[in-house]
Amino acid sequence: MRILIIALITLNILYFVGVYLFSVAFDRPPPLKEPGIPTIKLLSMNASGGAGSPSANQSAICFTVGPYSVEKTARLVANRIADEGFAVKISRQQTDRIQKYLVFLPQLASREAAEQVVADIKQNQIQQKQIKQYEIIDSGPYKNAIALGTFDDLDRARRHAEYVRFLGYDARYTEQRQRAYVYWIGYDEPFGESIPVEAWSKQVDPKVSVQKLPEACEF
C-alpha cells in the first residue's frame, strides 16, 4: 500500500513537470522582430496628404488676405509680398456686393396713385425742405414705388427713412446689391514671423478693409 501511494505521488509530480515544460516550449509569445528583417519606420502625414519626416519642423505657414474689390490694389500688395521673397498667388471670387441703400415708399396700385403721393411730397417740401429726392420707379420689382434717395452708409439711410416716416409717409430702406468680383491674396509666411500685409494694403488704398485668414499651403 505504501509503495502504491509513493508511485501515485511520483506520477503526479512527473505530470505537473511535464505540463510546465510543455507550456514553456509551446506557449511562448511570437517574437516582436524576425531576425534579418529591418524595422519599418512610420512617417507622419503633411498638410498636403504626403508623407513627411516625423522629425522635420514646419518652416512656413500660409495665409489668405482679402477681399479686395479692386484688382489693381490686390496686385500691388501681392507684388510687395513677392518683393520680400515669399510665394504669392491671387484668386478671384464672384460675390454679391452691397452698392448702396435705397430709401423708398412702397409700391402703389398705379402710376397715377404714385404721382399723387409725389405731388403731396412736393407740397410739403415747401415747408420741410428735407425730402430732396423723389422719383417714381418705372419698371422692375419696385415698379410704381417712389425712390427717396440712395445712400452709401446704412445709418444715413435709416435716419432718412425715420425722418420721412415722421412726416407721415411709410418710408422703408433696402440694400442694392450688384454682382462683382473680389480678389484674395494667398502667400506663405515664415513660421514665427508676421508680415504686415494689412498695413501694406492701407498704404496702397487707405479705404480698403481686409482680413487675414490661415489656409492650407498649396505652393
Side-chain angles (χ1 to χ4, degrees):
M1 186 66 180
R2 182 180 299 175
I3 296 174
L4 180 60
I5 293 174
I6 294 173
L8 290 175
I9 293 173
T10 303
L11 289 175
N12 286 332
I13 293 173
L14 292 175
Y15 172 78
F16 285 112
V17 170
V19 170
Y20 172 76
L21 294 176
F22 182 85
S23 63
V24 170
F26 295 99
D27 289 348
R28 293 178 181 176
L32 297 178
K33 179 180 177 181
E34 291 289 341
I37 299 178
T39 302
I40 297 175
K41 295 182 179 180
L42 298 179
L43 301 179
S44 62
M45 303 299 291
N46 56 31
S48 61
S53 173
S55 60
N57 293 325
Q58 188 176 8
S59 60
I61 53 179
C62 294
F63 291 94
T64 181
V65 61
Y68 297 89
S69 58
V70 180
E71 182 180 6
K72 181 179 179 181
T73 302
R75 294 200 175 278
L76 289 174
V77 176
N79 291 340
R80 177 71 180 273
I81 298 173
D83 290 342
E84 297 294 326
F86 305 115
V88 64
K89 65 178 181 179
I90 297 178
S91 59
R92 187 176 70 170
Q93 180 182 9
Q94 191 174 27
T95 183
D96 287 335
R97 186 173 57 191
I98 297 175
Q99 292 293 100
K100 292 182 180 294
Y101 297 91
L102 171 68
V103 179
F104 67 100
L105 299 181
Q107 295 168 273
L108 295 162
S110 64
R111 183 175 180 85
E112 289 74 16
E115 289 175 348
Q116 291 179 3
V117 174
V118 170
D120 186 65
I121 292 175
K122 289 180 179 179
Q123 183 177 359
N124 290 334
Q125 181 71 7
I126 298 175
Q127 298 177 351
Q128 303 296 337
K129 297 191 180 298
Q130 289 294 329
I131 306 178
K132 299 179 181 179
Q133 300 181 39
Y134 37 86
E135 181 181 359
I136 299 174
I137 300 175
D138 293 324
S139 61
Y142 292 96
K143 183 178 180 179
N144 294 330
I146 301 173
L148 301 177
T150 56
F151 301 85
D152 296 327
D153 183 75
L154 175 59
D155 289 335
R156 291 183 59 196
R158 185 184 292 115
R159 288 197 301 268
H160 188 61
E162 290 174 353
Y163 178 77
V164 175
R165 284 197 293 268
F166 173 76
L167 297 179
Y169 302 99
D170 184 20
R172 305 177 187 180
Y173 58 90
T174 185
E175 300 171 348
Q176 289 186 312
R177 290 182 172 269
Q178 181 180 10
R179 184 159 294 181
Y181 287 105
V182 294
Y183 302 88
W184 291 82
I185 301 173
Y187 65 96
D188 65 344
E189 185 173 279
F191 187 76
E193 298 184 18
S194 181
I195 302 175
V197 181
E198 295 94 332
W200 293 348
S201 301
K202 288 289 186 181
Q203 292 175 2
V204 175
D205 183 0
K207 296 181 180 180
V208 73
S209 177
V210 296
Q211 55 183 333
K212 178 180 176 182
L213 304 172
E215 69 170 0
C217 291
E218 298 180 355
F219 297 100

